[in-house]
Amino acid sequence: MTIAKLKSFAATLVLVATVSGCGQSEAPGATGAVPTAAAETTPAPAEAAPAATTEPAMPSETQSTPVVIPDTADAIWQAIDQHSAELKTTIESASLGDVHHHAFAIRDLVAALPGHSPTLAAEDQAKLEGEVKFVATLASRLDETGDAGDKAGSQENYDKLVAVLTGITRTK
């Protein structure tokens, strides 16, 4: 992977982490104070595990289970499809405490697609960048509804996620 791709990948991960706000359902502190300890202890994405094998750990639940990113877009899509099927089963069985594992895995896998899809037309590449952001938002929503035990809300967000994933152009 070239330095330019790694920088782009790292920037995407930082954006995804910022947009997702994993596990944060309220503004920090009632007094409006910004928590500084978390910002000081969070490693920079470039210092995380090699980009070709794992995603840097995100704050909250995903730190304990980094997602292995396959080397090809086709393999990434297979992993996305597997996590999507497992997420569907998790919601159907009302095991909502496990929703975030699959939602964040899908988020991280989708975030890796732009760097693994060099043959994608420029228009599709731009669309993919937008979809990466929306998938991150939906993953956060799934985390929130899962943590709240809201099966209907989790199903609604899952349905939106499936619609977004279906609209993304797949490359091999």
Side-chain angles (χ1 to χ4, degrees), residues 26-47:
E26 299 176 354
T31 62
V34 176
T36 57
E40 293 171 0
T41 60
T42 304
E47 297 173 24

Side-chain angles (χ1 to χ4, degrees), residues 52-167:
T53 57
T54 60
E55 291 294 316
M58 304 300 263
S60 188
E61 297 99 346
T62 57
Q63 281 188 329
S64 63
T65 54
V67 176
V68 175
I69 303 297
D71 292 332
T72 65
D74 188 43
I76 290 172
W77 276 111
Q78 289 174 8
I80 290 169
D81 292 340
Q82 178 183 350
H83 279 286
S84 181
E86 291 172 4
L87 179 56
K88 178 180 180 181
T89 301
T90 299
I91 293 169
E92 288 173 350
S93 68
S95 300
L96 301 179
D98 295 330
V99 164
H100 65 269
H101 293 297
H102 301 296
F104 292 139
I106 292 168
R107 173 200 65 195
D108 295 346
L109 289 161
V110 170
L113 282 172
H116 289 81
S117 306
T119 60
L120 210 57
E123 181 179 307
D124 289 332
Q125 191 71 262
K127 180 181 175 192
L128 176 57
E129 293 290 341
E131 301 299 4
V132 165
K133 294 174 188 175
F134 192 45
V135 167
T137 299
L138 290 171
S140 292
R141 290 179 187 171
L142 279 159
D143 176 41
E144 291 171 9
T145 56
D147 287 349
D150 181 359
K151 184 176 179 181
S154 295
Q155 183 64 52
E156 181 181 330
N157 286 311
Y158 172 76
D159 293 342
K160 290 177 185 178
L161 177 64
V162 169
V164 171
L165 293 175
T166 302

